Every structure is written in structure tokens, then in C-alpha cells.
Amino acid sequence: MKIHINGDPRDFADLKTLADLVTALGLEPRMILLEHNGQATRRADWAKIPVADNDRVEILQVAAGG
């Protein structure tokens, strides 16, 4: 399955949900925000949102600062 991550196509096997994608990428869920096919998503919903071939996911890193 090909998923476009921040505009770059990447191949993945066995992904079913956004939560699977986050795990496959080795990301810390508390430190990111996801946009899926142009829609902002809630972390609580990631395990319910299916992914499909050619989906587009934007990943934003959360950073603290002052």
C-alpha cells in the first residue's frame, strides 16, 4: 500500500488504520498531529480511521517552546 506522508510516497504492508501507520513509523502519538486526506483528526479516533492506497497524511510535530 502506498501512503503519501507529507507529500512523499512511501510503501507500507499490513496497515489498516492511522494508528497502525503511527506505529509503523515509530512515532510518539502524544507528540504529533495528523491530517488525513485534508481532514484534521483526533488522536482518540486514529484506531477507527481506515487508510487506503494513495491516501495522503500530513504529520505535524508538536514542540514546546517559549
Side-chain angles (χ1 to χ4, degrees):
M1 170 184 311
K2 184 176 292 187
I3 305 288
H4 298 267
I5 307 291
N6 294 344
D8 294 321
R10 299 210 20 207
D11 290 313
F12 295 92
D14 301 324
L15 292 183
K16 292 184 175 32
T17 66
L18 284 179
D20 295 339
L21 177 65
V22 170
T23 299
L25 292 171
L27 299 172
E28 173 57 53
R30 294 176 296 147
M31 301 303 293
I32 61 171
L33 302 171
L34 296 181
E35 182 181 282
H36 179 243
N37 294 327
Q39 297 292 317
T41 63
R42 294 177 10 160
R43 187 179 313 124
D45 294 334
W46 292 351
K48 302 175 207 168
I49 299 173
V51 291
D53 197 37
N54 287 314
D55 275 2
R56 298 187 176 279
V57 176
E58 295 293 322
I59 301 171
L60 302 166
Q61 191 76 28
V62 177

